[in-house]
Amino acid sequence: MKLLKLSRRAMLAAGAATALALSPLLAQAQTPEDVLIVGQIAEPKALDPAAVTAVNDFRILMNVYDGLVRYKDGTLEVEPSLANSWDISEDGTVYTFSLRDDVTFHDGSAFNADAVKFNFDRMLDENHPYHNTGPFPLSFFFSAVENVEVVDDLTVRFTLNAPYAPFLSNLAYPTGLIVSPAAVEQYGAEFGRNPSGTGAFKFAEWRSNEAVVIEANADYWDGAPDLQAVVFRPITDANTRTAEMLAGGIDLMVEVPPVALSEFQGDTYTIHEQAGPHVWFLILNAKEGPFADVRVRQAANYAINKEAIVNDVLEGTAAVAAGPTPPAFAWAYNESLEPYPYDPDKARELLAEAGAEGAELTFYVTEGGSGMLDPVAMGTAIQADLQSVGLTVNIETYEWNTFLGEVNPGLEGKADMAEMAWMTNDPDTLPFLALRTASWPDQGGFNSGYYSNPKVDELLEAARAATDQAERARLYQEMQVIVQEDAPWVFVANWKQNAVTSDRVENFSLQPSFFLLLDDVVKN
């Protein structure tokens, strides 16, 4: 209990520091050593890795759980984690994993092959007794899994229905993190508020809209962390998050607003930057309303001054996006694509051809969220650009989790367009989950604008089954050309992620996965 009281005092000190406008030095002196206070962009939805989709949640989860494999530090390359090693059959359909023998879950239960099988059966088998603890929105990641077999206590075998190139990468993603079966059995649908994993930190407390507290796992198989605890504080408003960082109420701030970066110059702070696979876009409702016409979707791409958004709103911390695949996936990215130029006259011409002059649009904007950068300012700029070519745009703004609850089930009958950002681990992920016909929301996917092109479907299915990377690249590059022409989205920006730490924090670095890995961090 001492740890939690300490964390509460840190929270109170941080709040007092802001309220009293104390100097950073004085405020920081009140937060305890070895307890890292992290300013998050939103309240987490849940702490069950199989049940969430947002990087905001993943940043906590990656410190509480492990997967069979993980991304090597500073890369998106896969290395062993809970699995010591693995073998892949010649036809690419059978993966056999050898498991570590020195791991237990935080609740004291055993980690073994049965636990691994439980995790994937829970997500994928509708008849599993704990499948009702979902839903599991990213179970798509493992749709190729036909069977999970316990070979012996420390050996587990996955049989796929076809070769599936992203399989190992998806196992390293948070959806592949391994939870305690005993905890799921104990808490059922409430497991997401009572998590238990094998990671470097154990769950300690969740105070809604105030803090999630995790404490060091002294018995962690990969070495106990240096920090005593981490406190994740949800601070939705970016200006408030900046003020808290300047006042010393938090030690680490993620997703620093571009306009605030200049506030953190000098020796008191360190600004961290790391390129990664990110794309910020507008989902367009291609099923009904003005955007059902491809000419109107293309017009929106011409009408929006993306260079101005990147340079003026985002202060040059991003580049204009040319299509659905981030350039960080260099091997799969189609370098021949050029972004839609800013051409309001062309936009007006297309709107006239489509008979859509003066159309009225409902536009969903979020207050903040994972990878959303400066969504209100960006939304306002987009509204102005669209109105300048004759469209009427009505903005509806929502808190992040409420926003996802509106957008993810689909825009039909509600909105014509919505902001969105994805940070992904493989060039398969975003288009497969958000551009295929079989990924419409009523089929469990994230194609909230109902885009459909049979050729794109065919290319994506072929790319995930191709075992040769050059062939995968060719298929993805062909897909990008078609999607850019069809314009189911407005392709806005590719961001370089950032964070800022105080001078009390050492050994922190950002990851291209966009996750926070805190087991090596020191705070003095």
Side-chain angles (χ1 to χ4, degrees):
M1 293 302 295
K2 181 179 180 183
L3 169 64
L4 298 187
K5 291 178 181 176
L6 189 63
S7 297
R8 288 181 190 276
R9 288 201 299 271
M11 296 286 293
L12 291 171
T18 301
L20 299 176
L22 299 175
S23 72
L25 181 62
L26 179 59
Q28 288 175 349
Q30 298 182 52
T31 60
E33 292 183 9
D34 300 327
V35 176
L36 186 75
I37 314 295
V38 179
Q40 284 273 81
I41 60 175
E43 174 84 345
K45 183 177 180 180
L47 298 179
D48 179 349
V52 295
T53 64
V55 170
N56 182 66
D57 300 5
F58 295 164
R59 288 176 174 136
I60 302 174
L61 299 176
M62 293 300 289
N63 297 284
V64 177
Y65 300 94
D66 298 304
L68 295 176
V69 298
R70 64 188 178 191
Y71 297 124
K72 189 180 300 183
D73 185 37
T75 76
L76 290 174
E77 299 174 23
V78 170
E79 68 177 8
S81 184
L82 292 177
N84 285 314
S85 61
W86 56 89
D87 294 312
I88 307 172
S89 65
E90 286 189 14
D91 67 357
T93 63
V94 180
Y95 289 69
T96 304
F97 293 88
S98 175
L99 308 180
R100 300 186 64 90
D101 63 0
D102 57 350
V103 181
T104 57
F105 290 102
H106 299 152
D107 57 15
S109 61
F111 165 74
N112 52 29
D114 284 314
V116 176
K117 178 176 172 60
F118 177 98
N119 272 258
F120 289 91
D121 286 353
R122 171 185 172 231
M123 274 194 290
L124 300 172
D125 181 1
E126 293 182 357
N127 296 317
H128 189 271
Y130 293 94
H131 185 73
N132 62 0
T133 57
F136 307 113
L138 295 184
S139 60
F140 269 106
F141 275 39
F142 304 110
S143 58
V145 175
E146 194 170 77
N147 182 51
V148 184
E149 175 188 356
V150 174
V151 178
D152 59 42
D153 200 43
L154 294 176
T155 310
V156 63
R157 178 178 296 137
F158 290 75
T159 300
L160 312 185
N161 56 23
Y164 176 45
F167 182 57
L168 285 175
S169 181
N170 286 356
L171 285 175
Y173 204 69
T175 312
L177 294 172
I178 304 299
V179 311
S180 163
V184 174
E185 291 167 0
Q186 178 178 356
Y187 294 106
E190 292 301 309
F191 171 75
R193 300 284 303 199
N194 300 275
S196 177
T198 63
F201 293 88
K202 301 178 180 181
F203 173 73
E205 185 179 14
W206 184 350
R207 302 191 293 278
S208 294
N209 298 306
E210 184 183 349
V212 171
V213 183
I214 58 177
E215 60 185 0
N217 176 10
D219 299 320
Y220 185 46
W221 61 268
D222 203 21
D226 290 292
L227 294 167
Q228 183 186 4
V230 182
V231 180
F232 294 92
R233 293 183 54 197
I235 307 173
T236 302
D237 181 73
N239 293 326
T240 303
R241 205 159 61 247
T242 300
E244 286 274 21
M245 188 73 206
L246 291 168
I250 55 180
D251 307 302
L252 165 61
M253 174 182 174
V254 296
E255 302 194 26
V256 184
V259 294
L261 284 170
S262 61
E263 302 276 357
F264 299 108
Q265 304 300 319
D267 296 336
T268 307
Y269 304 101
T270 300
I271 296 172
H272 307 263
E273 291 186 327
Q274 168 69 57
H278 168 279
V279 59
W280 197 106
F281 56 98
L282 299 179
I283 304 170
L284 305 180
N285 185 344
K287 188 176 186 180
E288 61 184 6
F291 291 127
D293 190 318
V294 66
R295 293 169 295 184
V296 182
R297 300 197 300 270
Q298 292 172 342
N301 274 278
Y302 285 115
I304 294 170
N305 190 343
K306 296 173 283 293
E307 289 280 358
I309 291 172
V310 162
N311 293 324
D312 300 338
V313 179
L314 300 181
E315 302 280 334
T317 59
V320 173
T325 299
F329 292 127
W331 64 270
Y333 182 67
N334 192 330
E335 294 184 352
S336 69
L337 290 184
E338 294 289 339
Y340 275 84
Y342 174 53
D343 191 340
D345 289 335
K346 178 68 172 177
R348 293 186 189 96
E349 177 186 326
L350 288 166
L351 291 173
E353 284 182 19
E357 305 107 310
E360 187 167 348
L361 306 172
T362 297
F363 179 20
Y364 283 176
V365 169
T366 180
E367 296 173 354
S370 303
M372 293 305 304
L373 309 182
D374 198 349
V376 174
M378 295 171 77
T380 302
I382 288 165
Q383 178 189 42
D385 285 343
L386 292 176
Q387 292 190 159
S388 73
V389 298
L391 299 170
T392 299
V393 182
N394 302 308
I395 288 178
E396 295 184 15
T397 305
Y398 297 92
E399 175 274 331
W400 177 235
N401 286 318
T402 305
F403 176 83
L404 292 177
E406 292 289 337
V407 174
N408 286 348
L411 300 183
E412 183 178 10
K414 298 183 294 186
D416 300 286
M417 53 195 290
E419 297 179 338
M420 188 51 66
W422 275 61
M423 295 170 276
T424 59
N425 64 317
D426 189 276
D428 168 81
T429 307
L430 174 56
F432 196 82
L433 295 181
L435 287 173
R436 286 185 313 134
T437 308
S439 293
W440 284 23
D442 62 357
Q443 298 183 59
F446 294 89
N447 188 347
S448 299
Y450 317 99
Y451 171 64
S452 178
N453 185 313
K455 183 60 176 178
V456 169
D457 297 343
E458 175 188 324
L459 290 167
L460 290 173
E461 292 287 355
R464 62 173 14 203
T467 55
D468 178 70
Q469 189 176 85
E471 175 63 8
R472 289 187 76 203
R474 184 191 68 77
L475 295 165
Y476 287 131
Q477 289 165 9
E478 185 177 348
M479 174 274 297
Q480 291 164 56
V481 172
I482 297 170
V483 170
Q484 189 198 50
E485 177 71 18
D486 285 348
W489 304 337
V490 175
F491 313 104
V492 179
N494 301 121
W495 173 60
K496 180 184 289 186
Q497 64 171 318
N498 61 35
V500 63
T501 54
S502 77
D503 59 1
R504 301 178 65 189
V505 177
E506 300 175 4
N507 296 347
F508 172 77
S509 60
L510 287 169
Q511 300 292 324
S513 62
F514 295 93
F515 308 144
L516 291 182
L517 304 181
L518 303 175
D519 50 317
D520 291 330
V521 171
V522 174
K523 179 187 168 187
N524 54 46

